[in-house]
Amino acid sequence: DTMTSDDTNSTDTMTSDDMGSTEIGGVPADFVDLSFQEEIEIDENDVTLFVMNVYMRMAHPQGGKLPPILSVPFCAEGEDCAAEELNAGEISFSTNDLKYPKITGYDIWILNGKGGEVAGMKTFYISIDEE
């Protein structure tokens, strides 16, 4: 008996290139989370990153995770601010900037660059003119 090439059993194997994926560090790309980003180190004492946030009355900033109604940075983006200039001062805003005209009670919090509470809460109320 002679064996011909038609008599042999062959198994086709698919490579990762055939499947449209590649390996990253020996792990198929399908199993690698490419959305991971390196965490940037933020100095929680850097006053230039502080913000004054306005929340509804009795809301807690939750480490900066709760979106504020209004946020005013101590140092506007693109400005060159010296920390010494930011240790004291005023921040002004219009009640027209508040997104919820029916709310009358608000809390102000000062948060650092990591969202941590530096100062607060300071409550203020506005009057709504009924026409």
Side-chain angles (χ1 to χ4, degrees), residues 52 54 70 72 91-98 108 124:
M52 181 217 59
V54 178
L70 176 68
V72 180
I91 296 177
S92 299
F93 61 93
S94 170
T95 55
N96 293 332
D97 295 335
L98 302 174
I108 294 176
F124 71 97

Side-chain angles (χ1 to χ4, degrees), residues 14-17 19-34:
M14 292 180 67
T15 64
S16 60
D17 290 334
M19 293 185 280
S21 70
T22 58
E23 288 190 2
I24 300 174
V27 178
D30 297 354
F31 299 106
V32 176
D33 181 8
L34 298 176

Side-chain angles (χ1 to χ4, degrees), residues 39 51 53-55 59-69 71 109 111-117:
E39 189 172 322
V51 293
N53 285 350
V54 178
Y55 298 93
H60 194 275
Q62 301 171 16
K65 291 182 176 76
L66 180 67
I69 293 171
S71 183
W109 289 86
L111 304 181
N112 65 24
K114 289 186 173 183
E117 300 162 8

Side-chain angles (χ1 to χ4, degrees), residues 37-121:
Q37 295 178 359
E38 188 175 327
E39 189 172 322
I40 298 171
E41 185 66 32
I42 297 173
D43 180 1
E44 63 186 36
N45 297 313
D46 184 352
V47 181
T48 64
L49 300 176
F50 285 17
V51 293
M52 181 217 59
N53 285 350
V54 178
Y55 298 93
M56 289 188 304
R57 174 86 177 99
M58 300 301 291
H60 194 275
Q62 301 171 16
K65 291 182 176 76
L66 180 67
I69 293 171
L70 176 68
S71 183
V72 180
F74 278 30
C75 183
E77 191 172 327
E79 284 189 25
D80 187 24
C81 300
E84 300 81 39
E85 297 171 2
L86 302 174
N87 286 328
E90 296 178 7
I91 296 177
S92 299
F93 61 93
S94 170
T95 55
N96 293 332
D97 295 335
L98 302 174
K99 301 172 190 168
Y100 304 100
K102 300 266 185 209
I103 297 173
T104 59
Y106 297 90
D107 290 333
I108 294 176
W109 289 86
I110 304 298
L111 304 181
N112 65 24
K114 289 186 173 183
E117 300 162 8
V118 176
M121 96 189 146

